[in-house]
C-alpha cells in the first residue's frame, strides 16, 4: 500500500468515525437526516484488468450498499467465468427450493488451464502416501496451496456473501503485486452462498420492512425479519450443525467439493449480534481432542496476520471469549480433524444498512462487508506466504493421523439391525465425508469391546455384514471425533465450568456437550482397541433393496413385520390406498414365521380385490418383504383376529408453526413428516389455533418453544380449542418446552407435572416408580404364599427421619436445576410392551437440554423413563452429580388419556437435527400408530364400559 493510498483510507475512516459520533448525539433514537457513508475502500491501492466484469455492473446496488440477491450473484459469477481466464464455476448441488449451489475456482490462467493436474497433485499430497521425502519436496516445489472460502451458511447473516463477491472480483481482476503473489501460491475456491434458500427468505423480509427514511435502531423491524427468519434452509436446519450428520443437500454438495479439492485452509464467514464487533479464530477451550497440534500452530499465525490487517484500518476485534471448538460439526471444525486449518469469522450484523451500536458508533453495511473481505484476503495471504510449510504440515499431519490410528487400534463396529434403512442412512453419512467403511464377509469374534450403553464385553460375536470403521485412515481423526461414544472434558475446563455455574449460574459451554452419531442413531454399535482379523470388502455405496410379496394367493391375508423405517413407509402407503390395516400389540408367530409387536396385518376380508397387486408393487418400491398367510391361527401369541390386533386409523396431521416455537425443532419434525415419511400434513400458525377447524385433524404436533411464551401466543381461546379437540378424540404430541407447557398445572391440560411443583410429593412418585420397576421382574415368595404359618411376620418399618420442609426442598431443587444437562445424552428405559415403543430396544439414548424434569402419576403411562440407576443414567456428555440426582427416574416419554383422546409428551427434542433416530422412531410411532392404537377399543373415539 502506498503512503498516499494509506492516507486516503485513514482520512475516510476518521470521517466515518466523526460522523458516527455526531449521530450518537442525536435526540431521535433511530434517525438522522445525516446518512453515514462509509468511504473506506475495499482495496485502496488496487489495480485491475479492466476487461474483467465488475460486480457493480451486474448488481442492483453497489457492493456494500444493500445485500445482493441470489439471481444477481448467479448472473455475476457466470459473467466472471466467461470474462476471466482465472475463473471457472462448478455446480455441486441443488437446494430443496431448486437453487443451484456453486463453487468458484480462481487461480492464475496457467493453473486454471491445467486445473485437473493441480487437483490430482493435491490429492496425492492429501493421500499422505508418498514414497519418500524427496518425492514430497518435489511435489511441494511448485504445488499451489488450496483454500476453501465459505459464506452465508446462515441465511440471515448477509455480509459474507457480498464480501465473497468482492473477493472473487479482486482475485479475478487484480493486477497488483500482492494479489499476483497470492495467486502464484494459492488456488482459491469460493462457496459464495452456502444457504441461498434461507438468504432469499430473509432478503424478502428485509425488503418488505425496508423504510425510505434511514433507520439505525438495531432493535427495529427494519433490521430483522419475522419467524422463522433466514438462519436455516428450506426445512429450517441450522446447517452449521449438519457437517457431521449430512442430512441436507447443501451439506452434501459442500462436502463433495471439499473432498474433491482437499484444501488446506477453510474459512467460514458468519455474523453475530449487531452490538458486537468482529471475532475470529483461534477458539478457547474446550477444544476437541482430535484437533491436530499443527492446527493450533497455524491458528496463531492466521490470527496474528488477521489482527494486523484490522489494525491498519483501526477496526476492533477479538478472539476466543465465547467461541469454543468442542462440538465437531461446525464449518470451521470439520476440516481440522484431517489436518486443514479451519477459521471462523463472526461479524457484527447490520442487516443490509446501518445500526447504532451501544457506544454510539454507527456501523454501516459497507464496513461489515469490508471486514469479511479484508479478513478473507488476510487469511489467503497467510496461506500464500507460508505455502510450503503449511503444505508440509498438512501432509505430515495426515500421515500422523493414520499412524495414530494404527497405534491405538481404535475401531468401530456396527452390527446389522432389522432397521436396515436407518443403518443405510448412517453409513451413507460416513461415506459422504470420505470416511472409509468396510463390511465383514464372514462371522468373527472380537475381545474387549464396549457398546453404546457403555457396557463392557469381554468377547463379542459379530455376523457377516457387520460394518467396520478403522481410525487408521486419513479421515481417522474425523471418524473418531464423530463416532466416539463418550469423550470426557478435561479437568481444567471442568473447574472453569463449575466455577461459572456456582458463581454466576452461567455456562462456558457454547454447544451440546454430546453428539456421538452412532449413539444418536441407537445402533448396535461397539468400539474396541483390540486387534482382530476378518475378511472384508470396501463399501463405496449402499445397494437399494428390493422387497418381495411372498404367497400372493394367500387365503387369510398379508403380514408386514415391524422393522422400523421401512414399516413406517409401508404403513403410510397403505393409508394412502385407504386399506383396512391392523397392528399387533404383541409378538406372534404364524406359519412358522415370527413377527414383532407393531407388525401390520392386512386381511383380505374387507379390502379391495386387487390387494395382492397393490402390495406387490409396494414391497418392491419400499424394499420390504410382505408375507401372505393362509391362516389366522398363531402358534405363538394371539390369533390374527384377536382384539390385540388393533384397527389403525390414517393420521390427519397438523404441525403447529410460528412464534415462539423453536424453528429448529419445528424444522426437524417437518422434515421427518414431509421428506422422510411423506405423511400428508397441514402447517398451522400457533397464534391462529382458535380459528381453525381442528376437527379435520386427528394428530396435532406442537414442537418445542423458546422460553415460556407458548401459552401467551396460543391464547386462552386457542388453548381451550386444543383441549376440547383432545377430549373429542385427538392425539396431541408435545415435544421439549411444549411438553413443559402442557405439564404446567395452570393450563389444566395434562396430568404430568413439573418436578419443581411437586417437591412435597416426591415420595409418592418414587413409590409408584419402584412399583413399576418391580412389576417388570416380580418376585414370588411361595412359602409366604402357601405356608404363611412358616414365615416370620413382616416387621414394621423403622421410623424415618422427619421430611425436609417444602422451603428446604425448594432450595435444594433450585440448586440442582443450576447444573441441568446441556445437550447431554441420557439413558431412557422403555416399556417395550407399549405401542409407542414398537420396534425399539429396551433402552434408548436421548439428548436433553432443559432445566425442567417431569413427573408422571398413576393416571399417566410412562413409556420412557430416565434410568433410575444413577450410575447408568449418563451415556455421553457432561452431567453433574446434582443433575444426575434430579433427573434419574423422571419421565422422558408419557402417554395419557384425556376424554376420548390422548396426550403424548417428549421431554426433549426427539428428532434433534434429524439424526437422533432412536427417539425419532417413537415420534413416528406416535404419529402413524397414534390415532388407532391410542383410541378406545370399541372404535376411534368410543369409550370402554
Amino acid at each position: 500500500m502506498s503512503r498516499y493510498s494509506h492516507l486516503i483510507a485513514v482520512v475516510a475512516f476518521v470521517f466515518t468515525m466523526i460522523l458516527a459520533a455526531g449521530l450518537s448525539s442525536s435526540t431521535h433514537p433511530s434517525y438522522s437526516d445525516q446518512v453515514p457513508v462509509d468511504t473506506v475502500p475495499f482495496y485502496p491501492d488496487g489495480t485491475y484488468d479492466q476487461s474483467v466484469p465488475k460486480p457493480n455492473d451486474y448488481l442492483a446496488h453497489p457492493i456494500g450498499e444493500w445485500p445482493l440477491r441470489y439471481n444477481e450473484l448467479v448472473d455475476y459469477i457466470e459473467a466472471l467465468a466467461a470474462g476471466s481466464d482465472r475463473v471457472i464455476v462448478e455446480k455441486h448441488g441443488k437446494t430443496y427450493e431448486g437453487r443451484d449451489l456453486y463453487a468458484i475456482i480462481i487461480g492464475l490462467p496457467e493453473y486454471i488451464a491445467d486445473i485437473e493436474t493441480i487437483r490430482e497433485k493435491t490429492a496425492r499430497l492429501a493421500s499422505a502416501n508418498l514414497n519418500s521425502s524427496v518425492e514430497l519436496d518435489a511435489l511441494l516445489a511448485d504445488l499451489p496451496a488450496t483454500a476453501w472460502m465459505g459464506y452465508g451458511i446462515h441465511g440471515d447473516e448477509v455480509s459474507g456473501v457480498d464480501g465473497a463477491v468482492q473477493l472473487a472480483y479482486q482475485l479475478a481482476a487484480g493486477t497488483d503485486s500482492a494479489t499476483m503473489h497470492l495467486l502464484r501460491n494459492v488456488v482459491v475456491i469460493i462457496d459464495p452462498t452456502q444457504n441461498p434458500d434461507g438468504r432469499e427468505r430473509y432478503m424478502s423480509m428485509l425488503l418488505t420492512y425496508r423504510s425510505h427514511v434511514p433507520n439505525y435502531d438495531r432493535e427495529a423491524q427494519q433490521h430483522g425479519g419475522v419467524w422463522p427468519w433466514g438462519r436455516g434452509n428450506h426445512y429450517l436446519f441450522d446447517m452449521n450443525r449438519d457437517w457431521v450428520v449430512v442430512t441436507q443437500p447443501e451439506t452434501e454438495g459442500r462436502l463433495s467439493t471439499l473432498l474433491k479439492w482437499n484444501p488446506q485452509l477453510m474459512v467460514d464467514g458468519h455474523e453475530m449480534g449487531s452490538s458486537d464487533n468482529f471475532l475470529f479464530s483461534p477458539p478457547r477451550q474446550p477444544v476437541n481432542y482430535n484437533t491436530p497440534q499443527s492446527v493450533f500452530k497455524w491458528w496463531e499465525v492466521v490470527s496474528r496476520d488477521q489482527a494486523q490487517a484490522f489494525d491498519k484500518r483501526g477496526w476492533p476485534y477479538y478472539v476466543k471469549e465465547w467461541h469454543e471448538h468442542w462440538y465437531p460439526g461446525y464449518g470451521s471444525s470439520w476440516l481440522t480433524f484431517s489436518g486443514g486449518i479451519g477459521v471462523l469469522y463472526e461479524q457484527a450484523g447490520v442487516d443490509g444498512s446501518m445500526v447504532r451500536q451501544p457506544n454510539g458508533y454507527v456501523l454501516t453495511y459497507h464496513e461489515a462487508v469490508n471486514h469479511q473481505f479484508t479478513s478473507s484476503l488476510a487469511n489467503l495471504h497467510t496461506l500464500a506466504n507460508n505455502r510450503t510449510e503449511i503444505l508440509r504440515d498438512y501432509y505430515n499431519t495426515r500421515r500422523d493421523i493414520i499412524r495414530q490410528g494404527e497405534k491405538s487400534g481404535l475401531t468401530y463396529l456396527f452390527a446389522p439391525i432389522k432397521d436396515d434403512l436407518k443403518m443405510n442412512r448412517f453409513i451413507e453419512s460416513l461415506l459422504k465425508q470420505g470416511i472409509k467403511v468396510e463390511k465383514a464377509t464372514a462371522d468373527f469374534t472380537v475381545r474387549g469391546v464396549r457398546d453404546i450403553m457403555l457396557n463392557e464385553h469381554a468377547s463379542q460375536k459379530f455376523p457377516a455384514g457387520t460394518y467396520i470403521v478403522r481410525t487408521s485412515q486419513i479421515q481417522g481423526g474425523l471418524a473418531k471425533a464423530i463416532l466416539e461414544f463418550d469423550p470426557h472434558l478435561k479437568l481444567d475446563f471442568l473447574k472453569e465450568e463449575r466455577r461459572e455455574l456456582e458463581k454466576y449460574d452461567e455456562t462456558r459451554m457454547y454447544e451440546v456437550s454430546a453428539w456421538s452419531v452412532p449413539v444418536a442413531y441407537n445402533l448396535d454399535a461397539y468400539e474396541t482397541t483390540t486387534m482382530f482379523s476378518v475378511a472384508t470388502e470396501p463399501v463405496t455405496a449402499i445397494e437399494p433393496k428390493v422387497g418381495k410379496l411372498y404367497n400372493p394367493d394367500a387365503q387369510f391375508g398379508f403380514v408386514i413385520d415391524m422393522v422400523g423405517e421401512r414399516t413406517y413407509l409401508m404403513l403410510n402407503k397403505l393409508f394412502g390406498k385407504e386399506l383396512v390395516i391392523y397392528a399387533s400389540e404383541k409378538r406372534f408367530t404364524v406359519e412358522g414365521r415370527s413377527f414383532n409387536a407393531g407388525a401390520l396385518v392386512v386381511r383380505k376380508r374387507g379390502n379391495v380385490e386387487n390387494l395382492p397387486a397393490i402390495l406387490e408393487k409396494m414391497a418392491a418400491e419400499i424394499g420390504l418383504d410382505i408375507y401372505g398367510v393362509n391362516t389366522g391361527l398363531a402358534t405363538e401369541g394371539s390369533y390374527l383376529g384377536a382384539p390385540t390386533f388393533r384397527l389403525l386409523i390414517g393420521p390427519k396431521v397438523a404441525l403447529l408453526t410460528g412464534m415462539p416455537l423453536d424453528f429448529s425443532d419445528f424444522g426437524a419434525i417437518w422434515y421427518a413428516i414431509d421428506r422422510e415419511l411423506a405423511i400428508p400434513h397441514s402447517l398451522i400458525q400457533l397464534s391462529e389455533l382458535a380459528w381453525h377447524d381442528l376437527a379435520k385433524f386427528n394428530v396435532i404436533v406442537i414442537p418445542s418453544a423458546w422460553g415460556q411464551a407458548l401459552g401467551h401466543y396460543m391464547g386462552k381461546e386457542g388453548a381451550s380449542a386444543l383441549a376440547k379437540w383432545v377430549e373429542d378424540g385427538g392425539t396431541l404430541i408435545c415435544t421439549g418446552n411444549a411438553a413443559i407447557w402442557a405439564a404446567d398445572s395452570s393450563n389444566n391440560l395434562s396430568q404430568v407435572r413439573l418436578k419443581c411443583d411437586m417437591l412435597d410429593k416426591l415420595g409418592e412418585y418414587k413409590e409408584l416408580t419402584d412399583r413399576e420397576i418391580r412389576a417388570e421382574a416380580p418376585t414370588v415368595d411361595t412359602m409366604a404364599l402357601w405356608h404363611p404359618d412358616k414365615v416370620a411376620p413382616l416387621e414394621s418399618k423403622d421410623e424415618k427421619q422427619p421430611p425436609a420442609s417444602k422451603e428446604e426442598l425448594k432450595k435444594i431443587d433450585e440448586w440442582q436445576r443450576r447444573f441441568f444437562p446441556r445437550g447431554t445424552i441420557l439413558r431412557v428405559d422403555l416399556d417395550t410392551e407399549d405401542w409407542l415403543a414398537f420396534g425399539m430396544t429396551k433402552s434408548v439414548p436421548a439428548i436433553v437440554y432443559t432445566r425442567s424434569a417431569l413427573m408422571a402419576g398413576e393416571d399417566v403411562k410412562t413409556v420412557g423413563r430416565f434410568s433410575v440407576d444413577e450410575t447408568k443414567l449418563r451415556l455421553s456428555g457432561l452431567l453433574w452429580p446434582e443433575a444426575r440426582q434430579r433427573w434419574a427416574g423422571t419421565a422422558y416419554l408419557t402417554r395419557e388419556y384425556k376424554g376420548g383422546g390422548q396426550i403424548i409428551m417428549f421431554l426433549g427434542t426427539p428428532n434433534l437435527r434429524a439424526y437422533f433416530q432412536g427417539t425419532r422412531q417413537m415420534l413416528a410411532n406416535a404419529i402413524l400408530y397414534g390415532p388407532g392404537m391410542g383410541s378406545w377399543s370399541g372404535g376411534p373415539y368410543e369409550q370402554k364400559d
Side-chain angles (χ1 to χ4, degrees):
M1 179 182 293
S2 69
R3 180 179 301 176
Y4 179 72
S5 299
H6 179 67
L7 180 61
I8 293 176
V10 171
V11 169
F13 176 75
V14 171
F15 172 77
T16 306
M17 292 291 289
I18 292 172
L19 184 54
L23 288 171
S24 68
S25 63
S26 171
T27 57
H28 197 284
S30 64
Y31 169 73
S32 169
D33 56 4
Q34 294 179 307
V35 180
V37 178
D38 180 6
T39 58
V40 177
F42 291 113
Y43 199 83
D45 56 348
T47 58
Y48 300 93
D49 180 348
Q50 296 302 312
S51 68
V52 175
K54 302 176 180 64
N56 292 346
D57 293 338
Y58 288 81
L59 309 182
H61 303 274
I63 288 283
E65 183 178 295
W66 183 255
L68 58 87
R69 302 300 295 262
Y70 173 79
N71 63 301
E72 297 176 83
L73 170 71
V74 173
D75 288 347
Y76 178 65
I77 64 175
E78 288 179 348
L80 194 64
S84 172
D85 55 4
R86 299 182 189 176
V87 180
I88 55 176
V89 172
E90 294 182 349
K91 296 179 184 179
H92 60 229
K94 192 179 287 287
T95 71
Y96 283 122
E97 295 179 11
R99 295 183 177 91
D100 289 320
L101 298 163
Y102 292 92
I104 311 167
I105 297 97
I106 306 177
L108 290 177
E110 55 267 34
Y111 291 167
I112 294 299
D114 197 22
I115 195 66
E116 190 60 23
T117 299
I118 291 175
R119 190 188 68 79
E120 289 174 355
K121 286 183 176 181
T122 305
R124 281 178 56 207
L125 181 78
S127 72
N129 191 30
L130 301 179
N131 294 322
S132 66
S133 59
V134 174
E135 185 178 359
L136 175 61
D137 291 341
L139 188 60
L140 298 184
D142 60 356
L143 179 66
T146 305
W148 183 92
M149 317 292 285
Y151 307 89
I153 197 168
H154 296 143
D156 52 7
E157 298 173 3
V158 294
S159 61
V161 176
D162 294 64
V165 170
Q166 185 64 32
L167 177 65
Y169 172 70
Q170 180 66 40
L171 298 176
T175 57
D176 60 281
S177 59
T179 300
M180 297 309 296
H181 167 72
L182 191 162
L183 292 171
R184 278 192 294 273
N185 287 278
V186 181
V187 169
V188 182
I189 302 165
I190 300 174
D191 191 330
T193 175
Q194 301 176 69
N195 180 9
D197 290 357
R199 180 181 175 87
E200 284 300 293
R201 182 190 322 123
Y202 192 63
M203 284 303 303
S204 295
M205 296 176 191
L206 290 183
L207 192 60
T208 297
Y209 296 108
R210 189 182 187 187
S211 55
H212 172 69
V213 177
N215 178 284
Y216 47 80
D217 176 5
R218 66 185 187 281
E219 297 177 352
Q221 185 68 67
Q222 290 97 320
H223 299 288
V226 295
W227 195 99
W229 300 277
R231 184 179 180 88
N233 68 346
H234 176 77
Y235 287 102
L236 309 184
F237 277 72
D238 184 335
M239 292 188 298
N240 199 38
R241 307 299 188 275
D242 193 53
W243 288 86
V244 297
V245 292
V246 202
T247 67
Q248 302 301 295
E250 296 92 339
T251 308
E252 186 175 348
R254 287 194 303 276
L255 291 175
S256 67
T257 296
L258 287 162
L259 292 171
K260 176 181 178 181
W261 292 97
N262 294 294
Q264 295 79 52
L265 173 68
M266 182 175 180
V267 166
D268 194 20
H270 288 261
E271 286 185 352
M272 55 182 170
S274 60
S275 62
D276 219 314
N277 48 74
F278 198 91
L279 172 140
F280 48 83
S281 297
R284 63 161 174 82
Q285 292 293 335
V287 174
N288 193 288
Y289 309 146
N290 299 288
T291 307
Q293 286 303 308
S294 63
V295 175
F296 290 89
K297 165 187 169 181
W298 290 110
W299 270 338
E300 295 301 327
V301 178
V302 168
S303 175
R304 179 197 64 207
D305 292 350
Q306 198 161 350
Q308 289 178 355
F310 269 47
D311 288 341
K312 289 180 180 178
R313 307 291 186 94
W315 293 333
Y317 56 87
Y318 62 98
V319 300
K320 299 183 179 182
E321 301 300 330
W322 54 265
H323 169 218
E324 45 104 313
H325 191 71
W326 182 241
Y327 174 67
Y330 305 126
S332 57
S333 304
W334 188 85
L335 192 72
T336 63
F337 301 117
S338 52
I341 309 163
V343 177
L344 173 75
Y345 301 162
E346 291 283 356
Q347 160 63 44
V350 298
D351 297 302
S353 53
M354 55 186 174
V355 294
R356 186 202 300 278
Q357 297 186 307
N359 61 3
Y361 184 78
V362 175
L363 178 65
T364 66
Y365 185 62
H366 186 279
E367 183 178 336
V369 173
N370 205 347
H371 291 172
Q372 299 270 7
F373 167 77
T374 301
S375 292
S376 299
L377 269 186
N379 295 163
L380 289 172
H381 278 294
T382 300
L383 183 59
N385 295 338
N386 300 276
R387 177 188 65 85
T388 304
E389 190 177 354
I390 288 175
L391 288 173
R392 190 180 300 278
D393 280 356
Y394 178 73
Y395 175 86
N396 289 333
T397 298
R398 291 167 76 88
R399 182 196 57 193
D400 290 344
I401 289 169
I402 299 172
R403 291 177 176 174
Q404 289 168 11
E406 291 171 344
K407 182 178 179 181
S408 71
L410 180 61
T411 303
Y412 294 90
L413 304 107
F414 309 101
I417 56 176
K418 280 185 173 289
D419 195 348
D420 66 309
L421 207 56
K422 179 171 75 171
M423 178 66 84
N424 293 350
R425 194 174 284 155
F426 166 72
I427 295 298
E428 285 175 340
S429 75
L430 301 183
L431 297 176
K432 289 171 183 176
Q433 296 179 73
I435 295 172
K436 292 180 180 179
V437 182
E438 305 167 58
K439 182 188 281 189
T441 57
D443 297 351
F444 63 106
T445 300
V446 182
R447 292 180 293 103
V449 301
R450 182 170 72 156
D451 64 31
I452 63 168
M453 293 293 170
L454 307 184
N455 299 311
E456 303 286 346
H457 303 265
S459 180
Q460 183 73 22
K461 294 181 179 179
F462 293 92
T466 296
Y467 291 104
I468 301 170
V469 176
R470 307 179 194 274
T471 58
S472 55
Q473 58 171 298
I474 289 291
Q475 297 290 65
L478 175 65
K480 182 173 179 289
I482 67 179
L483 298 180
E484 59 186 333
F485 302 160
D486 185 26
H488 291 182
L489 291 156
K490 293 181 179 179
L491 178 59
D492 287 348
F493 175 77
L494 290 173
K495 288 180 178 179
E496 183 182 354
E497 173 71 358
R498 185 80 192 191
R499 180 181 182 276
E500 198 78 5
L501 289 168
E502 292 200 13
K503 190 171 183 178
Y504 302 110
D505 194 12
E506 296 289 345
T507 180
R508 295 288 284 169
M509 296 297 300
Y510 179 72
E511 246 294 342
V512 295
S513 64
W515 58 82
S516 174
V517 180
V519 174
Y521 268 79
N522 193 30
L523 299 175
D524 189 14
Y526 303 82
E527 59 184 8
T528 184
T529 56
T530 304
M531 302 300 294
F532 61 92
S533 178
V534 63
T536 64
E537 60 185 14
V539 179
T540 56
I542 301 297
E543 294 295 327
K545 181 180 177 181
V546 178
K548 184 178 179 180
L549 174 64
Y550 292 89
N551 190 18
D553 299 323
Q555 294 180 132
F556 183 86
F558 303 90
V559 184
I560 304 159
D561 200 8
M562 161 48 75
V563 300
E565 193 76 6
R566 293 190 194 274
T567 304
Y568 300 139
L569 296 175
M570 180 69 74
L571 179 54
N572 190 46
K573 288 274 190 181
L574 294 172
F575 284 141
K577 293 293 184 180
E578 298 184 348
L579 299 176
V580 180
I581 314 152
Y582 294 85
S584 175
E585 291 181 333
K586 301 178 181 179
R587 288 182 61 87
F588 65 96
T589 301
V590 63
E591 294 186 346
R593 187 178 296 277
S594 293
F595 298 92
N596 294 305
L600 310 176
V601 174
V602 186
R603 301 170 185 165
K604 292 186 71 174
R605 179 175 178 266
N607 275 307
V608 294
E609 289 186 7
N610 65 334
L611 179 61
I614 293 172
L615 296 180
E616 185 173 33
K617 184 179 180 182
M618 286 185 182
E621 289 177 350
I622 295 172
L624 183 60
D625 292 335
I626 302 175
Y627 300 93
V629 294
N630 294 310
T631 178
L633 189 154
T635 53
E636 292 182 21
S638 301
Y639 286 15
L640 273 60
T644 52
F645 286 84
R646 303 287 297 278
L647 176 65
L648 297 184
I649 300 168
K652 300 177 178 63
V653 179
L655 175 61
L656 299 194
T657 182
M659 280 290 289
L661 300 178
D662 180 342
F663 59 74
S664 294
D665 190 29
F666 163 81
I669 295 173
W670 184 26
Y671 178 76
I673 292 173
D674 191 39
R675 278 281 167 178
E676 294 182 322
L677 301 173
I679 301 172
H681 58 283
S682 295
L683 304 181
I684 294 179
Q685 285 285 325
L686 172 72
S687 59
E688 298 176 5
L689 198 61
W691 294 276
H692 273 275
D693 178 13
L694 301 183
K696 296 184 295 185
F697 308 107
N698 57 17
V699 175
I700 293 178
V701 184
I702 309 181
S704 188
W706 294 311
Q708 305 301 317
L710 192 150
H712 171 75
Y713 279 84
M714 183 183 293
K716 292 183 179 180
E717 295 84 359
S720 296
L722 185 65
K724 182 179 185 303
W725 172 85
V726 174
E727 291 173 350
D728 288 345
T731 293
L732 176 64
I733 303 169
C734 299
T735 70
N737 275 350
I740 293 167
W741 165 81
D744 190 325
S745 58
S746 66
N747 295 318
N748 197 30
L749 183 64
S750 169
Q751 298 175 81
V752 177
R753 290 290 175 262
L754 299 174
K755 186 172 184 177
C756 60
D757 293 336
M758 308 300 291
L759 299 177
D760 56 343
K761 296 184 178 180
L762 294 184
E764 297 176 22
Y765 283 106
K766 184 179 185 306
E767 185 176 340
L768 175 61
T769 301
D770 291 343
R771 204 159 61 231
E772 289 179 3
I773 294 171
R774 288 196 301 270
E776 287 294 324
T779 58
V780 177
D781 186 342
T782 55
M783 289 296 292
L785 182 64
W786 306 120
H787 304 286
D789 56 314
K790 297 180 181 180
V791 177
L794 294 175
E795 296 181 3
S796 59
K797 296 181 180 178
D798 295 331
E799 291 188 10
K800 297 180 180 179
Q801 293 292 327
S805 68
K806 193 169 184 178
E807 290 72 21
E808 289 173 323
L809 291 172
K810 184 177 180 181
K811 288 181 180 179
I812 294 170
D813 188 68
E814 288 176 348
W815 179 252
Q816 290 179 333
R817 283 161 62 90
R818 180 173 293 206
F819 302 93
F820 69 91
R822 290 174 164 84
T824 308
I825 301 178
L826 304 181
R827 174 179 176 146
V828 173
D829 295 327
L830 301 178
D831 180 353
T832 53
E833 294 181 6
D834 192 272
W835 58 268
L836 278 172
F838 280 164
M840 301 296 297
T841 52
K842 184 64 178 174
S843 298
V844 62
I847 193 162
V848 181
Y849 202 129
T850 180
R851 287 181 183 266
S852 299
L854 299 180
M855 308 297 293
E858 288 187 280
D859 295 331
V860 177
K861 176 66 176 178
T862 304
V863 182
R865 185 185 299 280
F866 292 113
S867 177
V868 175
D869 185 346
E870 291 183 21
T871 65
K872 295 182 178 179
L873 176 60
R874 190 194 69 85
L875 294 177
S876 187
L878 179 58
L879 187 70
W880 295 103
E882 292 87 347
R884 192 172 65 230
Q885 294 166 8
R886 189 172 193 274
W887 269 264
T890 60
Y892 172 77
L893 172 60
T894 63
R895 178 173 60 81
E896 62 188 293
Y897 290 114
K898 186 177 180 66
Q902 63 182 330
I903 303 172
I904 298 168
M905 294 162 55
F906 293 83
L907 176 66
T909 302
N911 193 35
L912 180 75
R913 297 173 185 167
Y915 84 107
F916 267 78
Q917 297 283 303
T919 45
R920 168 202 178 270
Q921 188 167 344
M922 297 184 289
L923 176 65
N925 284 339
I927 295 172
L928 287 166
Y929 286 87
M933 301 298 293
S935 65
W936 300 106
S937 61
Y941 308 131
E942 183 178 340
Q943 189 164 338
K944 289 182 178 178
D945 293 334

